Every structure is written in structure tokens, then in C-alpha cells.
Amino acid sequence: MSTSHKRKIDQSVMSMKGNRENEKEPKAKIGKFGKFLAANTVQDLLKERKEVKEVITLQHNCTVDQALKILNKNKITSAPVVLAASVLDSDANDFMGIVDAGEILRKLCRETTLLEDIQKIQEQKLNVDEKIKDCEKAFETSCKEFWQRKLIQVCGQDVTLLPTVFSDTDLKTLISQMLFDKSGNPIHRVALLKQAEVKALVTQSDLLKFLHQHKGDIQGILKKKIEDIGLYDPKKGVVTVTSDTIAMEAFHKMFQKNISCLGIVSEKGTMLGNLSVSDLRGLTVDRFSSLSYGVAEFLKISKALARPYATVLNAQLNDLRTLAVNPGSTFEELLDLITKNRVHRAYVVDENCKPLGVITLSDVLSMLLKA
């Protein structure tokens, strides 16, 4: 392990410990929920997590191709990147960042001509079979060098900017750490470290499930309507695409706007489904050409519809795996549905099933932090 990298890790850990030691109780009166967050720690959350999750790691010097195969084998979309041991340095497994399939695709769009190649093919007067064949060829030629890149080149994160937590970190601190990294970029998971080694990954879903199990401590806010507690901004609306939008273009749009999902709508603007980075699960090099299909077809081909998801307003949304609620739904109803269906967001729709807003796990946790 290089001296400079170890210094960065140590500084990050010491800074984190120092911040915890110097934290002072706020002067304002702490409510029941605030006391609950302060009294429970990451260790308490992990004890109640029924599934014992093995930490799957990716070595920094494996290729993108190899990384995608490991993610696919373990049915996950992200994993910590760790330092591989070398001949000169026997130390290994030091945390270097987290990489996910979305970041790989983002880099692919930015650093190859693939997106432009696919757009040109779609504009040509070819039949479906010819377009598929040409797109497969484009993936093979445009991405050949990219698949052999070392993972650390794709990860591209400064480990000192990534939030890390410890087993005794309280849940209030954990929530604040799970919203943004130190440079302000949104995140959805954090690494639990012992020294510089990753012992577990804690996700927003893990945290929300734990809070749902103890929802009695949230008290008054449970019965409030989501339209009254600022969980979504109707003025912002929802960024959408139509079902025939090329999946590659849709993901590129998502990356450009720095958001985690897109609503899929009909030509009349009614809600049909959802597209997110989670839908990249299982995508390996030989399957990437499915991104040249329309989003609806891509979701079906990628087997993203393996599990049925309940909806509140309209059964047709099950076709493209989407959770929808109306503005008058209570926070408790929202919390129950998100947890039961194991989704990362819910769309708020009107009586005509047109999207008004979207509520993500980050939105829910951010609001609970203020409760």
C-alpha cells in the first residue's frame, strides 16, 4: 500500500473520529424521534438486518469486464473497490471507493463514441434486425478498449471525499452521511470501516427498513399527508422519457441531469413505469447491446420484471414495475409501501395517472433528519 494512499485513509478516519468527539448536543429540545436516532447505532441496525450480507469487493486492478461479471454473479449493481496486494507490498483490502454499474455506463457514454454511433444507427432506414446487428457491432468496436481498462480508472473517486461510518456511529449521523459525499454529490450507500478495511456496506434501504420497524418512534408525522410535508416539489415535476426512447439515451439523460431515475410515460403523458440504475443489474459486456432497445423492451430483456411490485392507483403500472401514490396518501402509507415492495422511490400521480413528482429514499431520510 502506498504511503500517500495510507495517509489519505488515516486522515479521513481521524477526521471522522475527531468530528464525532467534538460534536455537541444541540441546544434545541430533542424530540422522541431525535432521541431514538441518537440512542441507536450502526451496530444496532446490522443486528436487526435479517440477511447476513457478504461483502463482495472488487480489486482495483481488475478490468471493467471482470468487474461486471462479478457484479452479475452476485446479483448486485455496486461493490467496494479495494487495493490488491502487490509483490512489493503485501497489504491489501484497503478501501479505495465504491463503483456501480451506473458509473461504468456513465464513463462509457462520456469516453467512447458509442452513444453517437447508436444514435446514427437509429436514424438510418434499417429494419429492426439490421439495427440490432449494427448496434451489437458498435458495442464491440467502440467499447473494446474500455472493457479492458483497470477498474480504478473507472472508479475515479477520491477516497477522502467518501463518507465512512463506524459500528458506534449513531443513526442521526448515519442519515446525514448517506445523503451526499463531502463534495456534495448524492450517494445511496456508505462503507462501514475497521481501520481502512471494509466490513460492511450500509444502504439507504437498510436504514429505512430499520426505521420502519421502529416507526412508532416517528409519532405525529406518520398521519400527515405527503403533499403537506414537503416530500416532493410539484414545481420541479418529473424528468421523463417515452417507452420507445433508446435505453442508452435515457440513461445518458439521467447522468446529464445528475438524477437517479426517469419516469416512463405514454405519448399522452400518463405514467407507465420507471427506469433507474438498478435496472442495470445483470448487465455484462455481452449483454450491453440491449441498451440499444427502447426502454420498455430493455426492461423486459434485462429481466427487470422478475418480481411483481404493488401499486396504489393503477394496476397497469405493474407492467413496468413502478410504485405510485396520490398526494393525499399519508407518510405512513408511503413508508409501508416502499418498505414492503423494496423499491427506492415512489411517483406521485394525479387522478389521471400523470406524474406530479417523485419521492426518493434520500427525500424520505432528509425529511426524517429534520423531524
Side-chain angles (χ1 to χ4, degrees):
M1 176 179 177
S2 68
T3 304
S4 61
H5 180 69
K6 185 173 180 62
R7 189 181 298 116
K8 281 187 175 183
I9 293 282
D10 292 341
Q11 288 173 346
S12 181
V13 171
M14 290 302 296
S15 174
M16 186 69 183
K17 288 183 176 179
N19 289 340
R20 290 186 296 155
E21 291 171 356
N22 294 328
E23 283 176 353
K24 295 182 179 180
E25 291 293 325
K27 294 182 180 179
K29 183 179 179 180
I30 302 176
K32 183 181 178 182
F33 185 60
K35 291 179 180 178
F36 169 80
L37 292 178
N40 286 273
T41 65
V42 172
Q43 188 61 41
D44 297 319
L45 183 155
L46 293 176
K47 284 180 181 178
E48 287 197 21
R49 194 164 71 178
K50 294 181 181 180
E51 301 176 45
V52 179
K53 299 181 180 180
E54 178 187 1
V55 181
I56 305 299
T57 59
L58 302 169
Q59 294 191 336
H60 81 283
N61 59 356
C62 77
T63 66
V64 173
D65 183 9
Q66 292 169 333
L68 287 170
K69 287 178 180 176
I70 293 171
L71 293 178
N72 175 50
K73 180 181 178 181
N74 293 279
K75 299 179 181 179
I76 54 179
T77 58
S78 65
V81 179
V82 298
L83 184 69
S86 66
V87 176
L88 299 177
D89 187 352
S90 60
D91 289 340
N93 295 324
D94 282 352
F95 179 56
M96 301 191 74
I98 296 175
V99 73
D100 61 44
E103 183 61 25
I104 291 174
L105 182 56
R106 185 195 300 266
K107 289 274 187 176
L108 188 67
C109 290
R110 185 186 304 158
E111 299 179 13
T112 71
T113 62
L114 181 61
L115 184 61
E116 295 175 8
D117 294 341
I118 289 178
Q119 289 171 336
K120 289 177 181 177
I121 293 170
Q122 295 301 326
E123 291 170 0
Q124 295 176 21
K125 295 181 179 180
L126 302 172
N127 62 42
V128 176
D129 290 338
E130 289 173 330
K131 285 185 178 182
I132 291 174
K133 187 175 181 179
D134 284 357
C135 284
E136 288 176 347
K137 190 179 296 183
F139 271 91
E140 184 178 344
T141 56
S142 301
C143 308
K144 189 174 182 179
E145 180 272 332
F146 183 86
W147 299 136
Q148 298 309 311
R149 288 188 189 181
K150 300 300 182 184
L151 192 59
I152 192 62
Q153 295 176 282
V154 177
C155 185
Q157 294 170 306
D158 183 344
V159 70
T160 63
L161 295 178
L162 293 173
T164 53
V165 297
F166 306 90
S167 59
D168 62 344
T169 299
D170 65 75
L171 295 189
K172 184 175 182 179
T173 302
L174 176 62
I175 293 177
S176 64
Q177 293 287 328
M178 298 193 79
L179 298 177
F180 302 97
D181 67 16
K182 296 174 185 177
S183 61
N185 295 313
I187 56 173
H188 304 101
R189 60 191 63 80
V190 293
L192 173 65
L193 298 186
K194 185 175 182 181
Q195 300 300 325
E197 188 175 346
V198 181
K199 292 300 181 182
L201 277 186
V202 183
T203 68
Q204 290 185 341
S205 294
D206 293 329
L207 180 51
L208 202 63
K209 186 175 181 180
F210 179 83
L211 296 178
H212 181 260
Q213 292 170 339
H214 299 273
K215 66 180 182 180
D217 292 285
I218 302 176
Q219 290 186 319
I221 196 172
L222 288 174
K223 302 303 178 184
K224 292 186 178 180
K225 296 179 180 180
I226 58 176
E227 62 183 346
D228 297 331
I229 54 179
L231 266 176
Y232 72 99
D233 184 356
K235 293 181 180 178
K236 289 178 63 176
V238 178
V239 181
T240 62
V241 293
T242 57
S243 59
D244 60 351
T245 302
I246 301 304
M248 188 80 168
E249 294 178 357
F251 279 111
H252 182 58
K253 183 175 184 178
M254 195 186 302
F255 301 148
Q256 283 183 316
K257 293 186 176 293
N258 200 27
I259 54 179
S260 60
C261 65
L262 293 172
I264 304 172
V265 296
S266 69
E267 292 181 357
K268 294 181 179 180
T270 56
M271 198 74 200
L272 294 177
N274 169 74
L275 182 74
S276 72
V277 172
S278 298
D279 295 316
L280 294 172
R281 181 179 282 107
L283 215 58
T284 51
V285 168
D286 58 339
R287 297 177 186 172
F288 251 77
S289 60
S290 62
L291 287 164
S292 61
Y293 299 139
V295 291
E297 191 65 21
F298 164 76
L299 289 174
K300 293 174 184 177
I301 291 174
S302 65
K303 298 182 180 179
L305 313 177
R307 293 180 297 172
Y309 286 78
T311 58
V312 179
L313 297 179
N314 199 319
Q316 76 181 30
L317 294 179
N318 275 328
D319 292 340
L320 290 179
R321 200 190 67 171
T322 304
L323 183 68
V325 295
N326 61 50
S329 302
T330 66
F331 179 68
E332 183 174 21
E333 290 171 337
L334 173 70
L335 197 60
D336 289 345
L337 284 165
I338 285 179
T339 306
K340 176 184 176 182
N341 293 288
R342 293 188 290 174
V343 293
H344 296 156
R345 63 196 54 82
Y347 287 89
V348 184
V349 298
D350 64 17
E351 62 276 8
N352 296 314
C353 211
K354 291 187 176 181
L356 301 172
V358 60
I359 301 171
T360 65
L361 297 191
S362 294
D363 296 325
V364 174
L365 292 175
S366 181
M367 191 209 63
L368 288 175
L369 193 60
K370 302 171 186 175

